[in-house]
Amino acid sequence: MELVDGEEPRLDEAAVAAVVDCRGMLCAQGILRLMRAMLGVPASGVAKVISTDPAAEHDYPAWCRNTGHHFLGHRREPDPQWGSLVVSFIRKRTDQAAS
Amino acid sequence: MKSLAIIASRGSSNSLVQVATLILAAVASEVAVRVFFRDEAVWKLTKARAHELSLSEIYRGQEAEVAARLAAQGLDDLPRLLREAREAGDVRLYACSSSMAICGVRPEDLIEGLEVRGLTAFLLEDIASADRVLTF
């Protein structure tokens, strides 16, 4: 699986620890859902975030830079309902266990 | 950026939704947020008015459509948005004591989660220590 604009252009999707569904959500709500979901991800675990907001391509990398998580990259996927999805992958920071 | 101070004076629903979503984005990004609601915003954030949809003049004639879009995005309940923000991290929401006096708003009239604070304390403590200050 090829990703763009992140730290890992190739990623084994089987390693995903959590899927965060932000379809239909605008920026702030998506970020809030992601923040809550990341609390349950183990340290160094990978979260997959599915978004319909095109701003996600820039919002999630910026969020990672501010919070210490690692933005691995994203890809675009066609979707019959939404037209296009932004699918992002984020690795949780190593010093933060699940809570 | 680790801390943000916001002064919100406008009282339309659409303006306060913008404030609420900005707070949500900030707190979800581990930014501490202090908000000072003044003037119309204090008038609006009372139990009697917070759930009423009151849009800016520019939306006149489009109220129903905008209301439907806000509802579809879950942005039509200001008290809930502000409660979510407080529960998500380091957020304090203040109502300006002077504005409350001018508007005739008592502490018990305010929606849950708003604390009464004076302008001087907000200026000298919250604004002075914030990394950035925004106004609405």
Side-chain angles (χ1 to χ4, degrees), chain A residues 24 26 28-29 31-32 35-36 63 66-67 93, chain B residues 1-2 21 24-25 28-31 73 75 88:
Chain A
L26 297 177
Q29 296 159 300
I31 288 289
L32 188 64
M35 180 207 78
R36 288 172 171 157
W63 182 79
N66 201 68
T67 55
R93 50 199 274 193
Chain B
M1 181 173 63
K2 290 298 173 190
T21 53
L24 286 169
S29 304
E30 301 178 5
V31 175
Q73 292 292 336
L75 298 174

Short mmCIF file of all heavy atoms in Angstrom, two decimals, chain A residues 24 26 28-29 31-32 35-36 63 66-67 93, chain B residues 1-2 21 24-25 28-31 73 75 88:
data_model
loop_
_atom_site.label_atom_id
_atom_site.label_comp_id
_atom_site.label_asym_id
_atom_site.label_seq_id
_atom_site.Cartn_x
_atom_site.Cartn_y
_atom_site.Cartn_z
N GLY A 24 -18.12 12.23 7.04
CA GLY A 24 -19.20 13.19 7.28
C GLY A 24 -18.86 14.26 8.29
O GLY A 24 -19.66 15.17 8.52
N LEU A 26 -16.66 17.44 9.85
CA LEU A 26 -15.78 18.54 9.49
C LEU A 26 -14.56 18.52 10.40
O LEU A 26 -14.47 17.72 11.32
CB LEU A 26 -16.52 19.87 9.58
CG LEU A 26 -17.70 19.99 8.60
CD1 LEU A 26 -18.43 21.30 8.79
CD2 LEU A 26 -17.23 19.85 7.16
N ALA A 28 -12.84 20.04 12.98
CA ALA A 28 -12.66 19.97 14.43
C ALA A 28 -13.25 18.70 15.02
O ALA A 28 -12.68 18.09 15.92
CB ALA A 28 -13.29 21.19 15.09
N GLN A 29 -14.40 18.27 14.50
CA GLN A 29 -15.03 17.07 15.04
C GLN A 29 -14.19 15.83 14.72
O GLN A 29 -14.06 14.92 15.54
CB GLN A 29 -16.42 16.91 14.46
CG GLN A 29 -17.35 18.03 14.86
CD GLN A 29 -18.50 18.14 13.90
OE1 GLN A 29 -18.30 18.37 12.71
NE2 GLN A 29 -19.70 17.99 14.41
N ILE A 31 -10.93 15.77 14.31
CA ILE A 31 -9.74 15.81 15.16
C ILE A 31 -10.10 15.35 16.58
O ILE A 31 -9.36 14.61 17.22
CB ILE A 31 -9.15 17.23 15.19
CG1 ILE A 31 -8.49 17.57 13.84
CG2 ILE A 31 -8.15 17.40 16.32
CD1 ILE A 31 -7.20 16.82 13.58
N LEU A 32 -11.26 15.77 17.06
CA LEU A 32 -11.69 15.38 18.40
C LEU A 32 -11.91 13.87 18.47
O LEU A 32 -11.49 13.21 19.44
CB LEU A 32 -12.97 16.12 18.78
CG LEU A 32 -13.43 15.96 20.22
CD1 LEU A 32 -12.41 16.54 21.20
CD2 LEU A 32 -14.78 16.64 20.43
N MET A 35 -8.50 12.23 18.49
CA MET A 35 -7.83 12.35 19.79
C MET A 35 -8.37 11.31 20.76
O MET A 35 -7.61 10.64 21.45
CB MET A 35 -8.07 13.75 20.35
CG MET A 35 -7.41 13.98 21.69
SD MET A 35 -8.26 15.22 22.69
CE MET A 35 -9.65 14.28 23.30
N ARG A 36 -9.69 11.17 20.80
CA ARG A 36 -10.29 10.20 21.72
C ARG A 36 -9.91 8.77 21.36
O ARG A 36 -9.61 7.95 22.22
CB ARG A 36 -11.81 10.36 21.72
CG ARG A 36 -12.26 11.64 22.43
CD ARG A 36 -13.73 11.88 22.25
NE ARG A 36 -14.21 12.97 23.08
CZ ARG A 36 -15.31 13.68 22.83
NH1 ARG A 36 -16.04 13.41 21.78
NH2 ARG A 36 -15.67 14.65 23.63
N TRP A 63 -1.66 18.09 13.12
CA TRP A 63 -2.02 17.59 14.46
C TRP A 63 -0.90 16.71 15.01
O TRP A 63 -0.53 16.81 16.18
CB TRP A 63 -3.33 16.82 14.37
CG TRP A 63 -3.84 16.31 15.68
CD1 TRP A 63 -4.51 17.01 16.64
CD2 TRP A 63 -3.72 14.97 16.17
NE1 TRP A 63 -4.81 16.19 17.71
CE2 TRP A 63 -4.34 14.94 17.44
CE3 TRP A 63 -3.16 13.80 15.66
CZ2 TRP A 63 -4.41 13.78 18.21
CZ3 TRP A 63 -3.23 12.64 16.43
CH2 TRP A 63 -3.85 12.64 17.69
N ASN A 66 2.05 18.66 16.29
CA ASN A 66 1.81 19.36 17.56
C ASN A 66 1.70 18.42 18.74
O ASN A 66 1.93 18.82 19.88
CB ASN A 66 0.54 20.21 17.46
CG ASN A 66 0.51 21.32 18.49
OD1 ASN A 66 1.30 22.25 18.41
ND2 ASN A 66 -0.37 21.21 19.48
N THR A 67 1.32 17.17 18.48
CA THR A 67 1.06 16.25 19.59
C THR A 67 2.14 15.18 19.75
O THR A 67 2.09 14.41 20.71
CB THR A 67 -0.29 15.54 19.38
OG1 THR A 67 -0.28 14.89 18.10
CG2 THR A 67 -1.45 16.53 19.44
N ARG A 93 2.67 8.03 19.46
CA ARG A 93 3.97 8.29 20.05
C ARG A 93 4.37 7.16 20.99
O ARG A 93 3.52 6.51 21.61
CB ARG A 93 3.97 9.63 20.77
CG ARG A 93 2.82 9.80 21.70
CD ARG A 93 2.57 11.24 22.04
NE ARG A 93 3.39 11.65 23.17
CZ ARG A 93 3.20 12.79 23.84
NH1 ARG A 93 2.25 13.64 23.44
NH2 ARG A 93 3.95 13.10 24.84
N MET B 1 2.59 25.58 19.55
CA MET B 1 1.66 26.38 20.34
C MET B 1 1.03 25.51 21.42
O MET B 1 0.50 24.45 21.13
CB MET B 1 0.58 26.97 19.44
CG MET B 1 -0.41 27.83 20.19
SD MET B 1 -1.56 28.70 19.12
CE MET B 1 -2.44 27.34 18.36
N LYS B 2 1.10 25.97 22.65
CA LYS B 2 0.57 25.17 23.76
C LYS B 2 -0.58 25.85 24.49
O LYS B 2 -1.26 25.21 25.30
CB LYS B 2 1.71 24.85 24.75
CG LYS B 2 2.71 23.87 24.19
CD LYS B 2 2.05 22.52 23.87
CE LYS B 2 3.00 21.59 23.16
NZ LYS B 2 2.29 20.39 22.65
N THR B 21 -15.94 25.37 17.48
CA THR B 21 -15.16 24.40 16.70
C THR B 21 -13.67 24.70 16.79
O THR B 21 -12.84 23.78 16.79
CB THR B 21 -15.62 24.36 15.23
OG1 THR B 21 -15.60 25.69 14.68
CG2 THR B 21 -17.01 23.79 15.10
N LEU B 24 -12.57 23.20 20.00
CA LEU B 24 -12.48 21.74 19.87
C LEU B 24 -11.20 21.32 19.16
O LEU B 24 -10.51 20.40 19.60
CB LEU B 24 -13.71 21.21 19.11
CG LEU B 24 -15.03 21.19 19.88
CD1 LEU B 24 -16.19 20.91 18.93
CD2 LEU B 24 -14.99 20.12 20.97
N ALA B 25 -10.89 22.00 18.06
CA ALA B 25 -9.68 21.65 17.31
C ALA B 25 -8.44 21.90 18.17
O ALA B 25 -7.49 21.11 18.16
CB ALA B 25 -9.61 22.46 16.02
N ALA B 28 -8.23 19.32 21.15
CA ALA B 28 -7.89 17.99 20.63
C ALA B 28 -6.44 17.93 20.19
O ALA B 28 -5.88 16.85 20.03
CB ALA B 28 -8.80 17.65 19.45
N SER B 29 -5.82 19.08 20.00
CA SER B 29 -4.40 19.15 19.62
C SER B 29 -3.52 19.46 20.83
O SER B 29 -2.38 19.90 20.68
CB SER B 29 -4.21 20.22 18.55
OG SER B 29 -5.04 19.98 17.43
N GLU B 30 -4.08 19.23 22.01
CA GLU B 30 -3.35 19.42 23.27
C GLU B 30 -2.95 20.86 23.52
O GLU B 30 -1.91 21.14 24.10
CB GLU B 30 -2.14 18.47 23.33
CG GLU B 30 -2.55 17.01 23.22
CD GLU B 30 -1.36 16.04 23.24
OE1 GLU B 30 -0.24 16.50 23.45
OE2 GLU B 30 -1.61 14.85 23.02
N VAL B 31 -3.75 21.78 23.04
CA VAL B 31 -3.55 23.20 23.31
C VAL B 31 -4.52 23.60 24.43
O VAL B 31 -5.71 23.32 24.36
CB VAL B 31 -3.84 24.04 22.05
CG1 VAL B 31 -3.76 25.54 22.35
CG2 VAL B 31 -2.86 23.67 20.93
N GLN B 73 -24.38 18.55 10.62
CA GLN B 73 -23.00 18.41 11.07
C GLN B 73 -22.89 18.28 12.59
O GLN B 73 -21.78 18.25 13.13
CB GLN B 73 -22.19 19.63 10.61
CG GLN B 73 -21.99 19.71 9.11
CD GLN B 73 -21.10 18.61 8.59
OE1 GLN B 73 -20.29 18.06 9.33
NE2 GLN B 73 -21.22 18.27 7.32
N LEU B 75 -23.71 20.60 14.68
CA LEU B 75 -23.20 21.88 15.17
C LEU B 75 -24.32 22.82 15.63
O LEU B 75 -24.12 24.02 15.73
CB LEU B 75 -22.39 22.57 14.06
CG LEU B 75 -21.14 21.83 13.58
CD1 LEU B 75 -20.51 22.54 12.40
CD2 LEU B 75 -20.12 21.69 14.71
N ALA B 88 -12.84 17.52 26.92
CA ALA B 88 -11.77 16.95 26.09
C ALA B 88 -10.38 17.35 26.55
O ALA B 88 -9.39 16.74 26.13
CB ALA B 88 -11.97 17.36 24.63
#
